[in-house]
Amino acid sequence: MSVTALILAAGEGTRMKSALPKVAHRVLGKPMVEHVVSAARAAGAGRVVVVTGHGAEAVEALMAGSGVDFVRQDEQHGTGHAVMCAEVLLGAADGSLLVVAGDCPLFTPETLASLVAERDRTGAAAVVLTTRVDEPAGYGRIVRDSQGAIAGIVEDRDLSPEQRAITEINTSTYCFDAAVLFEHLRKLENANAQGEYYLTDIVGILNAEGLAVRTVEAQEPLETLGVNTRVQLAEASRILQRRINERHMLAGVTMTDPDLVWIGPDVAIGRDVVIEPMTTLMGATTVGDGCVLGPDTRVTDSTVGSGCVVDSSIVSGAVLADRVRVGPRAYLRPGTQMGEGSKAGTCVEIKDSRIGAATKVPHLSYIGDADIGSAVNIGAGTITCNYDGERKHRTVVGDGAFIGSDTMLVAPVEVGRGAVTGAGSVIAHDVPADALAVERTEQRTVEGWAARRRETAQDEG
Ligand code: UD1
Ligand code: MG
């Protein structure tokens, strides 16, 4: 049966004290709402609809191109009202409708899929994900009848003194029969402490109609954390960090101190990789086998081949082939492509450039908008002068060239294959293959000058 997901993300999140809408806050580099979208998709949701309202433009821009549909809830009159707003898109949907709050970034696909499976198995009109907590204050409580079936959900503010002791809570995660849900949604009322339409009231309504409502208890209560404050945001990051790091360690990755390694949920890592402390791997990053990353390293949206070493460096939007060595303190910016066995060494910055196989840029260089061939040696301190104040220009260096230390390559310029530039040269004109280009004033040597100066200094002293 088809599965659709509806993600509620219109609330303001007042307790975050932020200009950013709550669901846009990131957990390990990924906005909370996107964690939920990923989990829903992996749980089998073919279509994902996100209800936006507070900060709608920001949330929608964040997820542009991710294939989800948006529906606006311009004024937020509660979780039930949010679902009502989605009726224009989903009123005719059939099959299962997973409803998940956008501020719950820790759900695993398995947990969401278990709600769908329970509905498939029982044919229930609704399945509610519950959990038991030591401190239920603030949450909606699950009220059960004498047979132990769910009778309803009562919000914290509307609890009777006896109900206050209930420790089984609503996680705000449901699987509905889509058609049945929209048929009964208009029966929700806002006669409660907050004057809102509570989605939670649908449980009592379905029960009154004699329609079956079931519950699934979350196996892992940590998953159900809803983020309302920045303290909980940090808690969510810590929980996810542990879960992700454990997964990688069990798959053959060594971490000398996993508490000091932060890896985003969409990062793939090969076997026998060693990750040293203070290292973050974020975004769409892939790491091959046998690499050593860190300490003090940040890799974002990059592909790292096998056998690479990245030490104390920043790599962002770059592609590294196998056996590339980076650092210490290199900065590889977007558009950097490092060929097999190449090196970007100490204090080297590279952007929008191709560095050929076995080419070395070992020390103190800036390479921007360049196409450097294979087996090239770039001497210490070499810089591509790629910007004339208005436009960027390209530098091309042929295979096997030797660029002397402290060469300024004034782009646009081309140094041919096998050519050599003299140390300290400003190269503003193309150099033919196999030529030598030196641009330097002649050296003047004054015999005995230094000794004479020392003598004068002594006489005066
Ligand atoms: C909700 C549940 C409560 C549950 C708790 C779990 C209701 C009435 N209560 O309470 O039973 O224990 O979650 O964390 O559902 N939202 C909208 N539009 C609105 C209001 C909310 O899109 O008009 C979204 C929010 O952005 C958020 C989610 O719905 O992602 C939950 O809203 P929130 O205000 O956090 O509800 P809670 O008070 O936590
Ligand atoms: Mg909440």
Side-chain angles (χ1 to χ4, degrees), residues 21-46:
K22 174 163 78 174
V23 297
H25 282 263
R26 290 169 192 267
V27 173
L28 294 182
K30 183 166 169 165
M32 280 200 273
V33 62
E34 286 194 39
H35 282 275
V36 182
V37 171
S38 297
R41 281 228 172 90

Side-chain angles (χ1 to χ4, degrees), residues 128-129 139-140 142 153 155 168-174 200:
V128 181
L129 182 71
Y139 289 104
I142 305 298
I153 301 173
E155 285 308 293
E168 189 185 11
I169 61 150
N170 171 31
T171 64
S172 213
T173 311
Y174 319 82
T200 45

